[in-house]
Amino acid sequence: MNFFFEPSGVAVVGATPETYSGGRYLVTNLTLGYQGPIYPVNPKYHEVLGLKCYPSVVEIEGPLDLALIFVPAQAVPQVLKDCVAKGVRGAILQSSGFAEAGPDGKALQDQCLTIAQQGGLRIWGPNCMGLIDTSKRHVFSFIAPEAWQEAMNPGGVSLIVQSGLLSAGFITTLMSNKTLGLAKVCSIGNRSDVEESELLEYLLQDRATKVIALYLESFIHGRRFYELALSSEKPIVVLKGGKTSLGAEASASHTASLAGNNELIWGVLGQASVHQADDFFEMVDIARTLEKDFPLQVPPKGKGRIAILSYSGAAGIVTTDHLVANGLTLARLSPQTLERLEKLSPAWMPVKNPSVVNEPRKPILFWLIGHRKGREETRMTLEKEGWPTFDEIHRTVKVMASLFDQGKKRKKDLEISTIQFSFPQSLRKMMDQADKRGVQLLDEYEAKKWFKTIGLNVVKEMTAKNLDETLKAAEKMGYPVVLKGRVEGKVHKTEAGLVKSNLWTKKQLRAAYEEMSSFYPKPPSFLIQPMLKGSLELIVGVVRDPQFGPAVMLGLGGIHADIYRDVIFRLPPLTETDAVEMVSSLRGEAVSSLRGEALLRGYRGTKPVNMKSLSDWLIKLGWLVLTSEKIQEIDVNPLLIVDGEPIAVDATIILRSHLQP
Amino acid sequence: MNFFFEPSGVAVVGATPETYSGGRYLVTNLTLGYQGPIYPVNPKYHEVLGLKCYPSVVEIEGPLDLALIFVPAQAVPQVLKDCVAKGVRGAILQSSGFAEAGPDGKALQDQCLTIAQQGGLRIWGPNCMGLIDTSKRHVFSFIAPEAWQEAMNPGGVSLIVQSGLLSAGFITTLMSNKTLGLAKVCSIGNRSDVEESELLEYLLQDRATKVIALYLESFIHGRRFYELALSSEKPIVVLKGGKTSLGAEASASHTASLAGNNELIWGVLGQASVHQADDFFEMVDIARTLEKDFPLQVPPKGKGRIAILSYSGAAGIVTTDHLVANGLTLARLSPQTLERLEKLSPAWMPVKNPSVVNEPRKPILFWLIGHRKGREETRMTLEKEGWPTFDEIHRTVKVMASLFDQGKKRKKDLEISTIQFSFPQSLRKMMDQADKRGVQLLDEYEAKKWFKTIGLNVVKEMTAKNLDETLKAAEKMGYPVVLKGRVEGKVHKTEAGLVKSNLWTKKQLRAAYEEMSSFYPKPPSFLIQPMLKGSLELIVGVVRDPQFGPAVMLGLGGIHADIYRDVIFRLPPLTETDAVEMVSSLRGEAVSSLRGEALLRGYRGTKPVNMKSLSDWLIKLGWLVLTSEKIQEIDVNPLLIVDGEPIAVDATIILRSHLQP
């Protein structure tokens, strides 16, 4: 990666002396900061801006690590061949007209990638704005020189942005605001080769970078990104574009990359303690405040406690509303603190929280109002002293919340290594059998047999082939019972009429059996289960995400699960702490901790959920999918909570048939 | 009201020549704009700023409508007496130290109010910043002259703000931003007499005012505010402070006024098509954009359709995410439009939505990025031409959504007059009986009798006094049944063990009966009901809100109701359109229209809810509470949906015993 940021020799292919052109800006920007040799390349000129211009890359003499390429897309493959011939190490393709432009462009991009990979050349882009390193004043980008020359303000925030034009207009705005100190800016475009994870890894090692903020529409190597973020000591902030299906559609047309399952991404980023922003300046406001590295006392239990100092009661009230909405609360002030405040406060302003001053070591975020001129002076004074300032209450509070989130970040890698899990021989055998039979789908009976081998609790059940066996089973089990008809390949048994619940008598059971037997084809066998009454229905499962790989899901079940879609994802391996976090990340829990009691601490006289057992489900299903390539998907629905214990009542396992054993 | 805004003669009680003092600013501000006679009042001076100063209000000669009072709180009662003696019509009390300062201050405030009311004097405040009328340059406030003198920008937005200092700092910010045109600003403080509804009514008649924005922590006359907003042709925007219990606590300490039930207020404001903001500048951004009065084509069904014009794909994607989150969608562009856009768009930017230009008559909102200087010039050019500009995408989209909401505003007063509802004689009789018996609480049996008289559907049930009658009733009704024990005053029957469901046999029923009979006291009578299986549990009810009076509630029932608190309030009388709106305002519906199908159009093979029947419940309960002073609260829980029909299974009515018939 380093040859992109600190190259020995840079060629500008498409250099031109024409005013207002990217090819000229690229050369100008190099001359304004880069100390190594600069080689303009363009067969039309002998000289560009006082520098010798070469007809092609192969003609260049002297050291040459990096080529900045800004020629029409069709001309790029030949340029890359020249770069390979010359031994160039990296090329930043700032031209557009590739994958983002349609299938022809995609083919051209693939062709470029092949040339590069065969020649040992790394590609950055195409369809990007290149990079900026403020400390060295390296601007390897066609951004206009006047946009950065005066305004560049070195600092600790690095940006990785999957966007071209926005990064320029956006960076220009940020620089002119003078409140953000930048380290490195990477505009990575179509990411045909260099992508966000590799750059993230580079920036995590970069001394100048203290915080990394990313705008991404998808993750090329999601699992790798997750692992880097999980182990990172530096705060990471992500704005994920293309959250909604409409947004994702626009996204696909823009960078030709797939936007992922938003609920899964939200869960995974939370798991890795990545800060999530909803808008561009919100992303930057979080990053520039985290850069200050305030020492923050996070209460071991409960919410982050904030004091508000304001002469305006209304501002205090609205701030409190936003604090609560962001999971924070007001600090209770000691009598001593109140007394000291009384001395500072005018007589007409009674001291109460909202209304407080803190020790200066603690983070103090300023919301400024007043006349523009005075406000700007105050802002710049505060910012110079290292105190972040904001224009709106909602943003001030959101950023405050991110400080607390950062304070809660825990090192998970150690915990994970302590998890023990081994496959029992009996499960291996069942897996092999399923494989030999070539089945793609295991029904609830078989799925639950798998779960039992790893110590997970499933509903008691008996099988029957005919009415006689059915009635005997029910007698033995005790009424009321549930009767289920097993038909190969039928997963949605309820919709198919293959589930009859609430059977309290022999007569009712017989009627149910006879109805199912009248179906064509008649179910070859039946399941008899006791009619369980749970206090809560959950859904747990695992999926394989195209970006992030194996993922574990927990959700609230029943009809309302479909209405509220209250689900949370995490990547395995999971710890018990992860499992508790999953429960507390369910919206039903997050809406109010009081309501969360429904799940964790029992509800209306029901027993609390046994968290150890629930964790077991999540951890073990995670291990199953992580260690068994064969498993595509597991769905346990419902996982019923009976007297506090989770019990699998219905389940499906989908296998990946196309894999060889 | 008009004597506050256009008084003949203004006295400043507490006038002083001392620099940096409110008493000086008040006089200065008057001299800078007000054309009538100005009378400084202060026994210490003969002259203030070149004007004759009077020792007291009674000494003033000449016309005198209004007194601006800025003296210590303790001195205010005597000043008010002087004002009454002089025949002053209005007093703006800008001093603090009243209800906001504690019980003593509250007593002082009450004393002032009594003096004023007995003397026919209206009071504005106390603890307020007074008022500004930009068109006349009337600044009846102790705001510093330099804060407004140069910056004042007349326009169509009027503000009513229940806050003192904030309104000054805030107004100063707004004026210096130069993007908001103000008509009148009213800082109303403790609202001991003049309150937001009376001012709202005044501003609805005010020619200069096109949009009214309010910051409020509570509503003094909620129902009146609602009715004014409902019939208003002018857009109204509200920022309600004190949404959360913590915020409400801070609120109570600030203005000594009760913050209301936030869910109820949210519903009521929505019903009256009031725009709701979450932060101060959001409130202003919505108001200043609505002021432009863009002619907007709102699609009769479906979502507001937006076109995005941007050179940045990322900006388009993030904007789309925010559009969807705000209930909007992307427009589909015609081939002709796309063709015209191709001509405007550079070759490297493929035309798709996001990326469009519109007819200039349509609202165009601009999100600006780039270098501060150029951005400010562009902003001012656009704003001068009447195009609103914004700094962030989320705000731009939120404001766009408010334009569509405004476009959807319908006149409801006409519809309401067409509703027919009359009390049947049988219900009148039952009400009288309950009154004579002096009961405060009707249990489900009695409540459902009331409902039946007005044609509402309740569960079939039979009463029994002993085991024999119980068994006979069940036999007649058919198993399975539910057995409920009736004990006077017991509302929470389930928790008390007085409900036994799922009784399928005589044996089970007998056991249930015997268990309940072992309770002390033994239930004197029993209810036998069929065991209904519903597709959905709803809650409907009515309450009397201290601020808004009678209100109707609809919610999703069952365990998840407690977890998600998915409820919606509306004020009666209701129309069928209101009822449909209530259903579609439930969060389960709002999260995704697809999930909303669960309620309106049936779900997993269940029948759709009969909306006519559900509307009937909401409309009739609304009429009941509106026309019967006796009813304090009705709670129907659950209202079960069986084969699409709502059926009351359990209910309670609470009566107001303290009222005379």
Side-chain angles (χ1 to χ4, degrees):
Chain A
M1 280 277 97
N2 213 45
F3 48 82
F4 280 115
F5 293 91
E6 299 175 38
S8 299
V10 180
V12 178
V13 186
T16 164
E18 281 176 50
T19 48
Y20 302 112
S21 73
R24 181 193 174 101
Y25 288 161
L26 277 166
V27 178
T28 308
N29 289 341
L30 283 170
T31 60
L32 289 171
Y34 177 63
Q35 299 296 319
I38 305 167
Y39 316 98
V41 177
N42 191 334
K44 282 200 249 171
Y45 305 102
H46 293 292
E47 190 194 295
V48 169
L49 302 175
L51 296 166
K52 181 185 175 186
C53 187
Y54 296 81
S56 90
V57 171
V58 289
E59 309 287 330
I60 293 170
E61 295 144 18
L64 175 54
D65 273 351
L66 184 65
L68 310 181
I69 301 175
F70 198 63
V71 298
Q74 290 299 335
V76 170
Q78 185 54 50
V79 173
L80 293 178
K81 282 176 194 162
D82 293 352
C83 287
V84 168
K86 181 69 196 166
V88 175
R89 301 170 75 188
I92 302 185
L93 289 187
Q94 308 202 14
S95 322
S96 58
F98 293 90
E100 83 285 359
D104 292 351
K106 176 68 168 70
L108 189 61
Q109 182 172 311
D110 290 345
Q111 187 193 340
C112 290
L113 188 60
T114 307
I115 294 166
Q117 285 176 335
Q118 286 173 351
L121 173 72
R122 295 300 307 275
I123 289 186
W124 178 305
N127 187 34
C128 74
M129 292 280 291
L131 70 88
I132 298 175
D133 176 343
T134 60
S135 62
K136 299 198 172 57
R137 291 179 79 83
H138 287 179
V139 179
F140 303 160
S141 170
F142 63 85
I143 185 172
E146 55 273 23
W148 65 269
Q149 217 184 328
E150 308 253 304
M152 194 185 272
N153 180 24
V157 175
S158 285
L159 301 176
I160 300 175
V161 195
Q162 187 195 335
S163 159
L165 275 164
L166 180 68
S167 57
F170 185 51
I171 294 308
T172 309
T173 311
L174 293 176
M175 284 181 172
S176 72
N177 285 355
K178 292 184 189 305
T179 53
L180 173 70
L182 282 169
K184 295 184 170 62
V185 181
C186 311
S187 161
I188 53 176
N190 291 6
R191 309 175 293 177
S192 64
D193 176 12
V194 171
E195 43 70 69
E196 60 279 2
S197 294
E198 192 173 4
L199 274 175
L200 177 62
E201 190 168 15
Y202 181 83
L203 292 175
L204 287 176
Q205 303 298 327
D206 177 42
R207 284 204 175 183
T209 299
K210 291 184 180 169
V211 180
I212 301 129
L214 303 97
Y215 170 74
L216 294 173
E217 289 154 20
S218 65
F219 294 82
I220 299 282
H221 300 299
R223 177 84 198 185
R224 186 175 172 201
F225 187 93
Y226 160 77
E227 286 173 359
L228 286 167
L230 192 68
S231 61
S232 161
E233 306 248 351
K234 297 179 183 178
I236 299 169
V237 190
V238 166
L239 168 58
K240 167 70 175 62
K243 288 193 169 70
T244 54
S245 54
L246 259 175
E249 194 183 296
S251 171
S253 76
H254 172 53
T255 58
S257 56
L258 202 80
N261 170 344
N262 189 54
E263 276 143 354
L264 188 140
I265 291 173
W266 187 85
V268 168
L269 295 182
Q271 184 178 11
S273 296
V274 170
H275 302 274
Q276 298 183 58
D278 284 325
D279 209 341
F280 293 100
F281 293 105
E282 183 177 296
M283 173 179 86
V284 168
D285 283 337
I286 293 172
R288 69 186 175 90
T289 305
L290 288 169
E291 189 205 343
K292 314 285 185 195
D293 201 17
F294 288 112
L296 188 66
Q297 291 177 333
V298 180
K301 282 191 172 190
K303 297 171 176 178
R305 295 189 295 264
I306 314 293
I308 302 173
L309 172 64
S310 168
Y311 286 137
S312 162
I317 288 162
V318 172
T319 304
T320 307
D321 286 342
H322 283 272
L323 287 179
V324 172
N326 280 276
L328 302 172
T329 190
L330 290 180
R332 286 187 185 278
L333 305 179
S334 69
Q336 295 92 311
T337 305
L338 286 171
E339 204 177 300
R340 286 171 65 196
L341 284 168
E342 289 286 1
K343 289 178 193 152
L344 293 173
S345 183
W348 49 264
M349 188 69 199
V351 174
K352 266 208 152 189
N353 194 4
S355 76
V356 182
V357 167
N358 258 321
E359 301 279 273
R361 289 171 296 101
K362 294 184 180 177
I364 307 177
L365 309 192
F366 289 84
W367 174 57
L368 303 179
I369 53 170
H371 191 276
R372 173 171 289 200
K373 200 164 158 290
R375 204 171 69 217
E376 279 309 303
E377 281 168 18
T378 310
R379 173 190 311 289
M380 290 323 296
T381 307
L382 288 167
E383 292 278 352
K384 259 181 215 147
E385 300 285 328
W387 301 111
T389 61
F390 302 89
D391 290 324
E392 302 214 31
I393 290 175
H394 72 95
R395 179 62 45 80
T396 319
V397 172
K398 168 92 191 216
V399 171
M400 186 62 97
S402 72
L403 293 177
F404 279 93
D405 286 342
Q406 184 64 22
K408 283 180 197 150
K409 185 163 167 41
R410 58 195 172 85
K411 293 289 289 279
K412 292 185 196 172
D413 35 358
L414 291 173
E415 290 184 52
I416 284 166
S417 66
T418 67
I419 292 177
Q420 297 297 327
F421 187 81
S422 66
F423 271 119
Q425 201 50 43
S426 52
L427 180 55
R428 285 243 171 270
K429 218 166 147 184
M430 283 193 265
M431 284 178 164
D432 288 347
Q433 280 171 353
D435 200 35
K436 268 183 208 144
R437 279 162 53 212
V439 291
Q440 273 191 265
L441 194 145
L442 301 181
D443 81 343
E444 62 169 295
Y445 181 70
E446 293 181 280
K448 284 182 284 191
K449 280 207 293 190
W450 286 32
F451 300 151
K452 274 198 275 188
T453 65
I454 49 174
L456 296 171
N457 210 356
V458 306
V459 67
K460 204 169 69 179
E461 63 192 5
M462 298 173 80
T463 55
K465 289 223 152 49
N466 53 43
L467 180 58
D468 191 44
E469 285 180 23
T470 300
L471 294 174
K472 272 186 187 147
E475 205 62 43
K476 200 168 169 189
M477 186 163 281
Y479 288 92
V481 297
V482 178
L483 180 71
K484 294 178 176 176
R486 288 184 70 196
V487 176
E488 184 125 351
K490 276 262 187 279
V491 180
H492 299 291
K493 288 194 293 291
T494 305
E495 288 76 357
L498 290 169
V499 178
K500 297 281 169 188
S501 312
N502 253 320
L503 306 173
W504 288 76
T505 61
K506 200 170 166 177
K507 192 176 150 194
Q508 287 173 352
L509 177 58
R510 185 193 299 268
Y513 180 91
E514 273 159 11
E515 188 186 333
M516 273 188 216
S517 301
S518 72
F519 292 172
Y520 183 81
K522 179 187 162 183
S525 70
F526 295 86
L527 291 177
I528 298 93
Q529 300 169 350
M531 180 75 207
L532 293 183
K533 204 172 154 66
S535 58
L536 198 65
E537 274 184 36
L538 299 177
I539 304 174
V540 301
V542 296
V543 294
R544 285 185 189 273
D545 182 73
Q547 296 179 52
F548 289 92
V552 181
M553 192 204 79
L554 168 70
L556 281 184
I559 181 174
H560 293 279
D562 297 274
I563 294 179
Y564 297 102
R565 284 192 79 169
D566 197 356
V567 296
I568 180 79
F569 288 88
R570 286 285 186 272
L571 300 191
L574 299 177
T575 62
E576 278 192 45
T577 314
D578 285 318
V580 172
E581 265 187 24
M582 286 180 82
V583 171
S584 59
S585 300
L586 288 174
R587 223 173 331 131
E589 169 90 15
V591 172
S592 143
S593 63
L594 191 74
R595 284 163 223 162
E597 307 221 354
L599 293 175
L600 278 172
R601 286 172 288 277
Y603 173 79
R604 282 194 182 169
T606 62
K607 263 199 182 174
V609 176
N610 183 335
M611 276 305 297
K612 176 77 187 64
S613 306
L614 184 56
S615 300
D616 247 30
W617 269 100
L618 299 167
I619 292 169
K620 287 177 174 173
L621 291 191
W623 267 104
L624 264 184
V625 70
L626 209 54
T627 50
S628 318
E629 280 283 292
K630 290 264 150 206
I631 296 173
Q632 174 65 29
E633 206 178 311
I634 299 177
D635 188 41
V636 183
N637 180 11
L639 183 72
L640 205 62
I641 306 298
V642 180
D643 282 335
E645 284 299 327
I647 298 175
V649 172
D650 197 353
T652 312
I653 297 176
I654 298 171
L655 301 174
R656 300 164 89 186
S657 57
H658 57 285
L659 285 180
Q660 293 307 314
Chain B
M1 282 278 96
N2 213 44
F3 49 81
F4 281 115
F5 292 92
E6 299 176 36
S8 298
V10 180
V12 177
V13 187
T16 164
E18 282 176 50
T19 47
Y20 302 113
S21 73
R24 182 194 175 102
Y25 289 162
L26 277 166
V27 179
T28 309
N29 289 341
L30 282 170
T31 61
L32 289 170
Y34 177 63
Q35 300 294 319
I38 306 167
Y39 315 99
V41 176
N42 191 334
K44 283 200 248 170
Y45 305 102
H46 293 293
E47 193 195 293
V48 169
L49 301 175
L51 295 167
K52 182 185 171 186
C53 186
Y54 296 82
S56 89
V57 171
V58 288
E59 309 287 330
I60 294 170
E61 294 144 17
L64 175 53
D65 272 352
L66 183 65
L68 310 182
I69 301 175
F70 198 63
V71 296
Q74 290 300 336
V76 170
Q78 185 53 51
V79 173
L80 293 178
K81 283 175 193 163
D82 294 351
C83 287
V84 167
K86 182 68 196 166
V88 175
R89 302 170 74 188
I92 302 186
L93 289 187
Q94 308 201 17
S95 321
S96 57
F98 293 91
E100 83 284 0
D104 292 350
K106 174 70 168 69
L108 189 62
Q109 182 173 309
D110 289 345
Q111 187 193 342
C112 291
L113 188 61
T114 307
I115 294 166
Q117 284 177 337
Q118 286 173 351
L121 173 72
R122 296 300 307 275
I123 288 187
W124 177 306
N127 187 32
C128 74
M129 294 279 291
L131 69 86
I132 298 174
D133 176 342
T134 60
S135 63
K136 299 198 171 54
R137 291 178 80 82
H138 287 179
V139 179
F140 303 160
S141 171
F142 64 84
I143 184 172
E146 56 272 24
W148 65 269
Q149 216 185 328
E150 307 252 305
M152 195 184 271
N153 180 24
V157 175
S158 284
L159 300 176
I160 301 175
V161 194
Q162 187 197 334
S163 160
L165 275 163
L166 180 68
S167 56
F170 184 52
I171 295 308
T172 310
T173 311
L174 292 176
M175 284 180 172
S176 73
N177 285 356
K178 292 185 188 303
T179 52
L180 171 71
L182 283 169
K184 295 184 170 64
V185 181
C186 310
S187 161
I188 53 177
N190 291 5
R191 309 176 293 178
S192 64
D193 176 14
V194 171
E195 44 71 69
E196 61 279 2
S197 293
E198 192 173 2
L199 274 174
L200 177 62
E201 191 168 14
Y202 180 84
L203 293 175
L204 288 175
Q205 303 298 327
D206 178 43
R207 284 204 175 183
T209 300
K210 291 184 180 168
V211 180
I212 301 131
L214 303 97
Y215 170 74
L216 294 173
E217 289 155 19
S218 65
F219 294 82
I220 300 281
H221 301 298
R223 177 83 197 187
R224 185 173 174 204
F225 188 92
Y226 161 75
E227 286 173 358
L228 285 167
L230 193 68
S231 60
S232 161
E233 306 248 350
K234 297 179 184 178
I236 299 169
V237 190
V238 166
L239 168 57
K240 167 73 175 59
K243 287 192 170 72
T244 54
S245 53
L246 258 177
E249 194 184 297
S251 172
S253 76
H254 172 51
T255 58
S257 56
L258 201 81
N261 171 343
N262 189 54
E263 275 144 354
L264 188 139
I265 291 173
W266 189 86
V268 169
L269 295 182
Q271 184 178 10
S273 296
V274 170
H275 303 273
Q276 296 183 60
D278 284 325
D279 209 340
F280 292 100
F281 293 105
E282 183 177 295
M283 173 178 86
V284 169
D285 284 337
I286 293 172
R288 67 187 176 89
T289 306
L290 288 168
E291 189 205 343
K292 315 284 186 196
D293 201 17
F294 289 112
L296 188 66
Q297 292 178 333
V298 180
K301 284 191 172 192
K303 297 170 175 177
R305 294 189 295 265
I306 314 292
I308 302 172
L309 172 64
S310 168
Y311 286 135
S312 161
I317 287 162
V318 172
T319 304
T320 307
D321 286 342
H322 283 273
L323 288 179
V324 172
N326 280 277
L328 302 172
T329 190
L330 289 181
R332 287 189 184 276
L333 305 179
S334 68
Q336 295 92 313
T337 305
L338 286 172
E339 203 177 300
R340 285 171 65 194
L341 284 168
E342 290 285 1
K343 287 177 193 152
L344 292 172
S345 183
W348 49 265
M349 188 70 199
V351 173
K352 266 212 152 187
N353 194 2
S355 75
V356 182
V357 167
N358 257 322
E359 301 279 275
R361 289 170 297 100
K362 295 184 180 177
I364 308 178
L365 309 192
F366 289 84
W367 174 56
L368 303 179
I369 52 170
H371 191 275
R372 172 171 289 200
K373 200 166 158 291
R375 203 171 70 216
E376 279 309 303
E377 281 167 19
T378 309
R379 173 190 311 287
M380 291 323 297
T381 309
L382 287 167
E383 291 279 353
K384 257 179 217 148
E385 300 285 328
W387 301 112
T389 61
F390 302 89
D391 290 324
E392 301 214 33
I393 289 175
H394 72 95
R395 178 62 46 79
T396 319
V397 172
K398 168 93 190 215
V399 171
M400 185 62 98
S402 72
L403 293 177
F404 279 93
D405 286 342
Q406 185 62 24
K408 281 179 198 153
K409 185 165 166 43
R410 58 196 173 84
K411 294 287 288 279
K412 292 185 196 172
D413 36 1
L414 291 173
E415 288 185 54
I416 285 168
S417 67
T418 65
I419 291 177
Q420 298 296 326
F421 186 81
S422 65
F423 272 119
Q425 201 50 43
S426 53
L427 180 55
R428 285 242 171 270
K429 218 166 148 186
M430 282 192 264
M431 284 179 165
D432 289 346
Q433 281 170 353
D435 200 34
K436 270 183 208 145
R437 279 162 52 212
V439 292
Q440 273 190 267
L441 196 146
L442 301 181
D443 82 341
E444 62 168 294
Y445 181 69
E446 294 181 279
K448 284 182 284 192
K449 279 209 293 193
W450 285 32
F451 300 151
K452 274 198 274 187
T453 65
I454 50 174
L456 296 172
N457 210 355
V458 305
V459 66
K460 202 169 70 178
E461 64 192 3
M462 298 173 81
T463 56
K465 289 221 154 47
N466 52 43
L467 179 59
D468 191 44
E469 285 179 25
T470 300
L471 293 173
K472 271 187 189 148
E475 206 61 46
K476 200 167 168 190
M477 187 164 277
Y479 288 93
V481 297
V482 178
L483 179 71
K484 294 179 176 176
R486 288 183 70 196
V487 176
E488 185 125 350
K490 276 264 187 280
V491 180
H492 300 291
K493 289 194 293 290
T494 304
E495 288 76 357
L498 290 169
V499 178
K500 297 281 169 188
S501 311
N502 255 320
L503 307 172
W504 287 76
T505 63
K506 200 169 166 179
K507 191 177 152 194
Q508 288 173 349
L509 176 57
R510 184 192 299 267
Y513 180 91
E514 275 159 9
E515 189 186 332
M516 273 189 218
S517 301
S518 71
F519 292 172
Y520 182 81
K522 180 187 161 181
S525 70
F526 296 85
L527 290 177
I528 298 92
Q529 300 169 351
M531 180 76 206
L532 294 182
K533 205 173 152 63
S535 58
L536 196 65
E537 275 184 37
L538 299 177
I539 304 174
V540 301
V542 296
V543 294
R544 285 186 189 272
D545 182 74
Q547 297 179 54
F548 290 93
V552 181
M553 192 205 78
L554 168 70
L556 281 185
I559 181 175
H560 293 278
D562 296 275
I563 294 178
Y564 297 102
R565 286 192 77 171
D566 197 355
V567 297
I568 180 81
F569 289 88
R570 285 287 187 270
L571 300 191
L574 298 178
T575 61
E576 278 193 45
T577 314
D578 285 317
V580 172
E581 265 186 23
M582 285 179 84
V583 171
S584 59
S585 299
L586 289 173
R587 223 174 330 132
E589 169 89 14
V591 173
S592 145
S593 63
L594 191 72
R595 285 163 222 163
E597 306 221 354
L599 292 175
L600 278 172
R601 287 172 287 277
Y603 173 79
R604 281 195 183 170
T606 64
K607 262 199 181 174
V609 175
N610 182 335
M611 276 306 298
K612 176 78 187 61
S613 307
L614 183 56
S615 301
D616 246 30
W617 269 99
L618 299 167
I619 292 168
K620 288 177 174 175
L621 291 192
W623 267 104
L624 262 185
V625 70
L626 209 55
T627 51
S628 317
E629 281 282 294
K630 291 265 151 205
I631 296 172
Q632 174 65 30
E633 206 178 310
I634 299 176
D635 188 41
V636 184
N637 180 14
L639 182 73
L640 206 63
I641 306 299
V642 181
D643 283 336
E645 284 299 328
I647 298 176
V649 172
D650 197 353
T652 312
I653 297 177
I654 297 171
L655 301 174
R656 300 163 90 187
S657 55
H658 57 283
L659 284 180
Q660 294 305 315

